[in-house]
Amino acid sequence: MRVLVVDDDRLVCASLKTILEAEGDIEVVDMGYDGSEAVVLYSQKQPDILLMDIRMEKMTGLQAGEQILRADPQAKILYLTTFLDDEYIVRAIGLGAKGYILKQKFESIVPALRAVQMGQNVFGDEIVTKLPELMAQGGQKEFSQYGLSAREEELTALVAKGLSNREIAARLYLSEGTVRNYLSAILDKLQLRDRTQLAIFYYESGRTLRR
């Protein structure tokens, strides 16, 4: 796995390089120290994953991510930051980042990189717990373009609000088995892996439709 590391703290970059390359199968192809360097280095090095801070001088990680994803929509960007900020989370999800994790959760960095490399979206527990509140600010969602039935749309909204299968079953007067079947069908239609991705999809779709 080839990783580009960008953080305005040179000590953090050096530490990440040491940690990641100790894994044996991870190569840090280069290091940058602000968003503008991230854009240039990404174009030059074409890493598998860009591991990048958000709050940096000259150009933020979010601004850099927007430029990189505009040029390469398949780019895999994993944000690593100390800030659990609603605006940052919203923008990271909206621009198409593959993940958002906190530096404080040191042990999650390598597993997050591996998950992103496998095509998964990775958002730390602290971020996932914020999604229902953030999504509640998004207004009415419309999913007709995705081929979901009215019942599937209703179930998707409840998943996004953080309800368990049992809670959804009670709310909709269904059996838990039926809820599981609905959920499997929804994930299959939307080509998603799990409930977390479904919640993120719910939020992203609402944002896109509001633009």
Side-chain angles (χ1 to χ4, degrees):
M1 183 194 312
R2 301 174 66 254
V3 179
L4 171 62
V5 174
V6 178
D7 193 294
D8 62 353
D9 187 325
R10 291 174 180 266
L11 180 58
V12 169
C13 283
S15 298
L16 287 171
K17 178 178 172 65
T18 299
I19 293 164
L20 298 181
E21 293 192 334
E23 292 293 309
D25 62 341
I26 300 178
E27 174 192 2
V28 175
V29 296
D30 212 331
M31 296 182 293
Y33 307 105
D34 64 57
S36 59
E37 287 190 13
V39 174
V40 172
L41 289 173
Y42 183 88
S43 177
Q44 293 175 346
K45 304 294 183 178
Q46 292 294 300
D48 295 318
I49 302 174
L50 168 56
L51 181 63
M52 179 164 55
D53 193 8
I54 288 182
R55 188 175 293 182
M56 296 183 287
E57 295 183 3
K58 297 183 180 179
M59 179 186 289
T60 69
L62 293 169
Q63 291 169 330
E66 288 175 350
Q67 288 196 23
I68 290 167
L69 285 161
R70 193 178 303 121
D72 178 10
Q74 302 305 313
K76 294 178 179 178
I77 300 176
L78 175 60
Y79 285 111
L80 178 66
T81 179
T82 58
F83 301 103
L84 188 61
D85 183 285
D86 288 358
E87 181 182 354
Y88 291 167
I89 295 168
V90 167
R91 288 188 61 192
I93 292 173
L95 66 84
K98 296 300 182 184
Y100 187 116
I101 58 176
L102 298 179
K103 290 180 180 178
Q104 297 90 316
K105 298 292 184 178
F106 182 83
E107 70 283 355
S108 69
I109 297 173
V110 170
L113 284 168
R114 296 195 188 284
V116 169
Q117 177 69 355
M118 294 294 292
Q120 299 178 33
N121 291 329
V122 180
F123 294 87
D125 292 342
E126 302 87 352
I127 287 82
V128 171
T129 58
K130 276 180 162 286
L131 286 176
E133 177 186 349
L134 294 175
M135 289 183 289
Q137 302 168 9
Q140 180 109 17
K141 308 296 186 295
E142 298 175 15
F143 296 101
S144 57
Q145 63 179 300
Y146 301 106
L148 299 186
S149 68
R151 177 64 87 179
E152 288 171 336
E153 291 178 20
E154 187 176 16
L155 194 142
T156 297
L158 294 175
V159 169
K161 291 178 181 177
L163 274 66
S164 68
N165 285 355
R166 177 175 296 181
E167 291 168 330
I168 293 171
R171 179 76 65 89
L172 301 182
Y173 303 101
L174 301 171
S175 70
E176 287 188 58
T178 300
V179 170
R180 285 194 295 271
N181 290 338
Y182 268 121
L183 183 56
S184 295
I186 293 166
L187 293 175
D188 185 59
K189 283 184 180 181
L190 301 178
Q191 298 184 333
L192 301 173
R193 293 176 182 270
D194 52 37
R195 297 170 68 95
T196 300
Q197 286 195 347
L198 181 58
I200 292 168
F201 166 85
Y202 179 88
Y203 173 72
E204 287 180 327
S205 298
R207 244 177 96 71
T208 300
L209 290 166
R210 292 200 308 278
R211 288 175 181 171

PDB file of all heavy atoms in Angstrom, residues 172-188:
ATOM      1  N   LEU A 172     -42.213   0.100  12.964  1.00  0.00           N
ATOM      2  CA  LEU A 172     -42.938  -0.141  11.715  1.00  0.00           C
ATOM      3  C   LEU A 172     -43.883  -1.342  11.789  1.00  0.00           C
ATOM      4  O   LEU A 172     -44.484  -1.715  10.782  1.00  0.00           O
ATOM      5  CB  LEU A 172     -41.937  -0.351  10.564  1.00  0.00           C
ATOM      6  CG  LEU A 172     -40.973   0.801  10.276  1.00  0.00           C
ATOM      7  CD1 LEU A 172     -40.080   0.469   9.103  1.00  0.00           C
ATOM      8  CD2 LEU A 172     -41.740   2.096  10.031  1.00  0.00           C
ATOM      9  N   TYR A 173     -43.986  -1.957  12.976  1.00  0.00           N
ATOM     10  CA  TYR A 173     -44.852  -3.119  13.169  1.00  0.00           C
ATOM     11  C   TYR A 173     -44.468  -4.262  12.225  1.00  0.00           C
ATOM     12  O   TYR A 173     -45.318  -4.863  11.553  1.00  0.00           O
ATOM     13  CB  TYR A 173     -46.327  -2.734  12.976  1.00  0.00           C
ATOM     14  CG  TYR A 173     -46.774  -1.634  13.897  1.00  0.00           C
ATOM     15  CD1 TYR A 173     -46.891  -0.328  13.441  1.00  0.00           C
ATOM     16  CD2 TYR A 173     -47.041  -1.885  15.249  1.00  0.00           C
ATOM     17  CE1 TYR A 173     -47.280   0.704  14.292  1.00  0.00           C
ATOM     18  CE2 TYR A 173     -47.428  -0.862  16.111  1.00  0.00           C
ATOM     19  CZ  TYR A 173     -47.535   0.423  15.621  1.00  0.00           C
ATOM     20  OH  TYR A 173     -47.912   1.431  16.460  1.00  0.00           O
ATOM     21  N   LEU A 174     -43.162  -4.529  12.181  1.00  0.00           N
ATOM     22  CA  LEU A 174     -42.631  -5.623  11.379  1.00  0.00           C
ATOM     23  C   LEU A 174     -41.852  -6.570  12.279  1.00  0.00           C
ATOM     24  O   LEU A 174     -41.503  -6.225  13.408  1.00  0.00           O
ATOM     25  CB  LEU A 174     -41.689  -5.077  10.285  1.00  0.00           C
ATOM     26  CG  LEU A 174     -42.274  -4.080   9.280  1.00  0.00           C
ATOM     27  CD1 LEU A 174     -41.158  -3.490   8.437  1.00  0.00           C
ATOM     28  CD2 LEU A 174     -43.301  -4.767   8.392  1.00  0.00           C
ATOM     29  N   SER A 175     -41.552  -7.760  11.770  1.00  0.00           N
ATOM     30  CA  SER A 175     -40.665  -8.655  12.503  1.00  0.00           C
ATOM     31  C   SER A 175     -39.216  -8.228  12.262  1.00  0.00           C
ATOM     32  O   SER A 175     -38.912  -7.555  11.261  1.00  0.00           O
ATOM     33  CB  SER A 175     -40.856 -10.095  12.035  1.00  0.00           C
ATOM     34  OG  SER A 175     -40.358 -10.259  10.721  1.00  0.00           O
ATOM     35  N   GLU A 176     -38.321  -8.612  13.166  1.00  0.00           N
ATOM     36  CA  GLU A 176     -36.911  -8.283  12.968  1.00  0.00           C
ATOM     37  C   GLU A 176     -36.374  -8.942  11.704  1.00  0.00           C
ATOM     38  O   GLU A 176     -35.528  -8.376  11.002  1.00  0.00           O
ATOM     39  CB  GLU A 176     -36.085  -8.710  14.179  1.00  0.00           C
ATOM     40  CG  GLU A 176     -36.278  -7.829  15.400  1.00  0.00           C
ATOM     41  CD  GLU A 176     -35.296  -8.155  16.509  1.00  0.00           C
ATOM     42  OE1 GLU A 176     -34.071  -8.086  16.261  1.00  0.00           O
ATOM     43  OE2 GLU A 176     -35.751  -8.501  17.615  1.00  0.00           O
ATOM     44  N   GLY A 177     -36.858 -10.145  11.408  1.00  0.00           N
ATOM     45  CA  GLY A 177     -36.427 -10.825  10.190  1.00  0.00           C
ATOM     46  C   GLY A 177     -36.795 -10.047   8.940  1.00  0.00           C
ATOM     47  O   GLY A 177     -36.005  -9.944   8.000  1.00  0.00           O
ATOM     48  N   THR A 178     -37.998  -9.494   8.950  1.00  0.00           N
ATOM     49  CA  THR A 178     -38.434  -8.689   7.807  1.00  0.00           C
ATOM     50  C   THR A 178     -37.580  -7.434   7.671  1.00  0.00           C
ATOM     51  O   THR A 178     -37.210  -7.038   6.553  1.00  0.00           O
ATOM     52  CB  THR A 178     -39.914  -8.299   7.957  1.00  0.00           C
ATOM     53  OG1 THR A 178     -40.708  -9.484   8.017  1.00  0.00           O
ATOM     54  CG2 THR A 178     -40.383  -7.444   6.792  1.00  0.00           C
ATOM     55  N   VAL A 179     -37.246  -6.816   8.799  1.00  0.00           N
ATOM     56  CA  VAL A 179     -36.380  -5.635   8.769  1.00  0.00           C
ATOM     57  C   VAL A 179     -35.011  -6.007   8.186  1.00  0.00           C
ATOM     58  O   VAL A 179     -34.455  -5.270   7.358  1.00  0.00           O
ATOM     59  CB  VAL A 179     -36.224  -5.028  10.179  1.00  0.00           C
ATOM     60  CG1 VAL A 179     -35.138  -3.948  10.179  1.00  0.00           C
ATOM     61  CG2 VAL A 179     -37.545  -4.451  10.653  1.00  0.00           C
ATOM     62  N   ARG A 180     -34.482  -7.143   8.621  1.00  0.00           N
ATOM     63  CA  ARG A 180     -33.180  -7.577   8.087  1.00  0.00           C
ATOM     64  C   ARG A 180     -33.254  -7.800   6.580  1.00  0.00           C
ATOM     65  O   ARG A 180     -32.328  -7.449   5.844  1.00  0.00           O
ATOM     66  CB  ARG A 180     -32.717  -8.851   8.794  1.00  0.00           C
ATOM     67  CG  ARG A 180     -32.196  -8.630  10.203  1.00  0.00           C
ATOM     68  CD  ARG A 180     -31.440  -9.852  10.715  1.00  0.00           C
ATOM     69  NE  ARG A 180     -32.325 -11.001  10.854  1.00  0.00           N
ATOM     70  CZ  ARG A 180     -33.016 -11.283  11.947  1.00  0.00           C
ATOM     71  NH1 ARG A 180     -32.921 -10.482  13.005  1.00  0.00           N
ATOM     72  NH2 ARG A 180     -33.781 -12.347  12.008  1.00  0.00           N
ATOM     73  N   ASN A 181     -34.367  -8.387   6.125  1.00  0.00           N
ATOM     74  CA  ASN A 181     -34.531  -8.618   4.691  1.00  0.00           C
ATOM     75  C   ASN A 181     -34.612  -7.304   3.921  1.00  0.00           C
ATOM     76  O   ASN A 181     -34.017  -7.160   2.844  1.00  0.00           O
ATOM     77  CB  ASN A 181     -35.785  -9.454   4.427  1.00  0.00           C
ATOM     78  CG  ASN A 181     -35.644 -10.888   4.898  1.00  0.00           C
ATOM     79  OD1 ASN A 181     -34.533 -11.393   5.055  1.00  0.00           O
ATOM     80  ND2 ASN A 181     -36.769 -11.559   5.131  1.00  0.00           N
ATOM     81  N   TYR A 182     -35.355  -6.353   4.469  1.00  0.00           N
ATOM     82  CA  TYR A 182     -35.436  -5.031   3.845  1.00  0.00           C
ATOM     83  C   TYR A 182     -34.050  -4.392   3.776  1.00  0.00           C
ATOM     84  O   TYR A 182     -33.651  -3.829   2.742  1.00  0.00           O
ATOM     85  CB  TYR A 182     -36.367  -4.121   4.641  1.00  0.00           C
ATOM     86  CG  TYR A 182     -37.811  -4.132   4.193  1.00  0.00           C
ATOM     87  CD1 TYR A 182     -38.824  -4.505   5.066  1.00  0.00           C
ATOM     88  CD2 TYR A 182     -38.167  -3.732   2.904  1.00  0.00           C
ATOM     89  CE1 TYR A 182     -40.153  -4.509   4.672  1.00  0.00           C
ATOM     90  CE2 TYR A 182     -39.486  -3.730   2.494  1.00  0.00           C
ATOM     91  CZ  TYR A 182     -40.479  -4.118   3.384  1.00  0.00           C
ATOM     92  OH  TYR A 182     -41.782  -4.111   2.976  1.00  0.00           O
ATOM     93  N   LEU A 183     -33.332  -4.482   4.887  1.00  0.00           N
ATOM     94  CA  LEU A 183     -32.013  -3.857   4.939  1.00  0.00           C
ATOM     95  C   LEU A 183     -31.062  -4.474   3.925  1.00  0.00           C
ATOM     96  O   LEU A 183     -30.326  -3.766   3.225  1.00  0.00           O
ATOM     97  CB  LEU A 183     -31.434  -3.983   6.356  1.00  0.00           C
ATOM     98  CG  LEU A 183     -30.072  -3.324   6.620  1.00  0.00           C
ATOM     99  CD1 LEU A 183     -30.119  -1.834   6.276  1.00  0.00           C
ATOM    100  CD2 LEU A 183     -29.665  -3.518   8.072  1.00  0.00           C
ATOM    101  N   SER A 184     -31.101  -5.802   3.805  1.00  0.00           N
ATOM    102  CA  SER A 184     -30.250  -6.475   2.820  1.00  0.00           C
ATOM    103  C   SER A 184     -30.599  -6.021   1.403  1.00  0.00           C
ATOM    104  O   SER A 184     -29.706  -5.782   0.580  1.00  0.00           O
ATOM    105  CB  SER A 184     -30.417  -7.996   2.927  1.00  0.00           C
ATOM    106  OG  SER A 184     -29.947  -8.471   4.166  1.00  0.00           O
ATOM    107  N   ALA A 185     -31.901  -5.891   1.129  1.00  0.00           N
ATOM    108  CA  ALA A 185     -32.334  -5.461  -0.199  1.00  0.00           C
ATOM    109  C   ALA A 185     -31.885  -4.032  -0.494  1.00  0.00           C
ATOM    110  O   ALA A 185     -31.446  -3.718  -1.611  1.00  0.00           O
ATOM    111  CB  ALA A 185     -33.856  -5.573  -0.313  1.00  0.00           C
ATOM    112  N   ILE A 186     -31.982  -3.170   0.515  1.00  0.00           N
ATOM    113  CA  ILE A 186     -31.570  -1.771   0.341  1.00  0.00           C
ATOM    114  C   ILE A 186     -30.069  -1.684   0.068  1.00  0.00           C
ATOM    115  O   ILE A 186     -29.627  -0.986  -0.860  1.00  0.00           O
ATOM    116  CB  ILE A 186     -31.933  -0.938   1.593  1.00  0.00           C
ATOM    117  CG1 ILE A 186     -33.455  -0.816   1.734  1.00  0.00           C
ATOM    118  CG2 ILE A 186     -31.297   0.451   1.526  1.00  0.00           C
ATOM    119  CD1 ILE A 186     -33.902  -0.303   3.093  1.00  0.00           C
ATOM    120  N   LEU A 187     -29.290  -2.389   0.868  1.00  0.00           N
ATOM    121  CA  LEU A 187     -27.834  -2.371   0.681  1.00  0.00           C
ATOM    122  C   LEU A 187     -27.466  -2.900  -0.692  1.00  0.00           C
ATOM    123  O   LEU A 187     -26.545  -2.387  -1.348  1.00  0.00           O
ATOM    124  CB  LEU A 187     -27.155  -3.191   1.777  1.00  0.00           C
ATOM    125  CG  LEU A 187     -27.257  -2.645   3.203  1.00  0.00           C
ATOM    126  CD1 LEU A 187     -26.640  -3.625   4.201  1.00  0.00           C
ATOM    127  CD2 LEU A 187     -26.583  -1.282   3.323  1.00  0.00           C
ATOM    128  N   ASP A 188     -28.189  -3.925  -1.145  1.00  0.00           N
ATOM    129  CA  ASP A 188     -27.911  -4.500  -2.466  1.00  0.00           C
ATOM    130  C   ASP A 188     -28.245  -3.495  -3.569  1.00  0.00           C
ATOM    131  O   ASP A 188     -27.466  -3.310  -4.508  1.00  0.00           O
ATOM    132  CB  ASP A 188     -28.727  -5.781  -2.649  1.00  0.00           C
ATOM    133  CG  ASP A 188     -28.382  -6.493  -3.951  1.00  0.00           C
ATOM    134  OD1 ASP A 188     -27.215  -6.861  -4.136  1.00  0.00           O
ATOM    135  OD2 ASP A 188     -29.296  -6.678  -4.789  1.00  0.00           O
TER     136      ASP A 188
END
